[in-house]
Amino acid sequence: MTRSQLQETIERHFAAGSAALGDPSAMTAFLALRAALECGEVRAASPDPGSPAGWRVNAWVKQGILLGFRLGVLEEMLAGGLSFVDKGTYPVRHFSAADGVRLVPGGSAVRAGSYVARGVVCMPPMYINAGAYVDEGAMVDSHALVGSCAQIGKRVHLSAGAQIGGVLEPVNATPVIVEDDVLVGGNCGVYEGTVVRKGAVLAAGTILTRGTPVFDLVNGSILRSTEDLPLIVPENAVVVPGSRPIAKSKGHEQSREWGLSLYAPVIVKYRDGKTDLSTALEELLR
Ligand SMILES: CC(C)(COP(=O)(O)OP(=O)(O)OC[C@H]1O[C@@H](n2cnc3c(N)ncnc32)[C@H](O)[C@@H]1OP(=O)(O)O)[C@@H](O)C(=O)NCCC(=O)NCCS
């Protein structure tokens, strides 16, 4: 099946709703998509310099991933002495030494339909969900989550406890995108289609969502998502968690009286030699 035939078949079965259930051609198309996702041939979002966010959402791929959930029935899955129950269309992926991925034992799982490139290191426990794309040399540290359809670039470091949210629906919504050479610090959360451009650094504890304004101290500007664009963290920005006074609201006076403030991520600088030193990774661990 060519790429365009696969796309057309997926779109047709997705549009058919429950009529796709029990149709062998729907399952064949889903399995072809899943295989293509796992070897990185198709992605939920692809780089596209011509689009405003720099990435194009491949809605049909997300439709295909959703189709897999619709077609799957609960199955018992045995793993050693343990047992699990999940949709049969999304079992746990199996790796061999030839895949070149280090998957350290202990409570980690990589779901079928995700792409994990050679040289990726997965420290337990961590989870990579369906449709995610994790590129060469990335590190997914302990307690990190790579949510469905998230796109993780080359040499990205997802530190311990980092949560990269999944964006499967609506199908035309941009998934979370973390471009090459980004450091996502410990306990960060990146959600709702946020795009983190190349080389940016999110200090430990930074949380980014569609509704979070980011204050750029260097350029004296405030970055926000718009109706058409997600929140975009600029290339090489160093973002740290900060706070700001509450500017306007009914309880404005009380907020002052009670000393309240709101969480505010702040770009304190753009990456320099010191940042490179602070974020240098333990190459030996890889
Ligand atoms: C962001 C980080 C990389 C530091 O980068 P850096 O380029 O060395 O930053 P600098 O030390 O030059 O700091 C620049 C400014 O930001 C402030 N700053 C730095 N890190 C900060 C943080 N985490 N929170 C709040 N402010 C911070 C500094 O105080 C400085 O401001 P000042 O000049 O007013 O004092 C580091 O703080 C960090 O968060 N590293 C990730 C740690 C982590 O999660 N490791 C995971 C291992 S699993």
Side-chain angles (χ1 to χ4, degrees), residues 141 159-160 183 185-186 201 203-204 238 240-241 268-269 272 274-275 278-279:
D141 214 333
S159 302
L183 176 103
V201 175
V238 177
V240 307
V268 283
K269 66 196 265 191
D272 58 18
K274 179 159 181 310
T275 319
S278 306
T279 58

Side-chain angles (χ1 to χ4, degrees), residues 242-247 251-263:
S243 63
R244 62 181 167 102
I246 299 169
H252 184 213
E253 290 307 318
Q254 276 90 342
S255 78
R256 281 213 185 142
E257 198 181 314
W258 296 343
L260 298 182
S261 57
L262 289 181
Y263 164 69

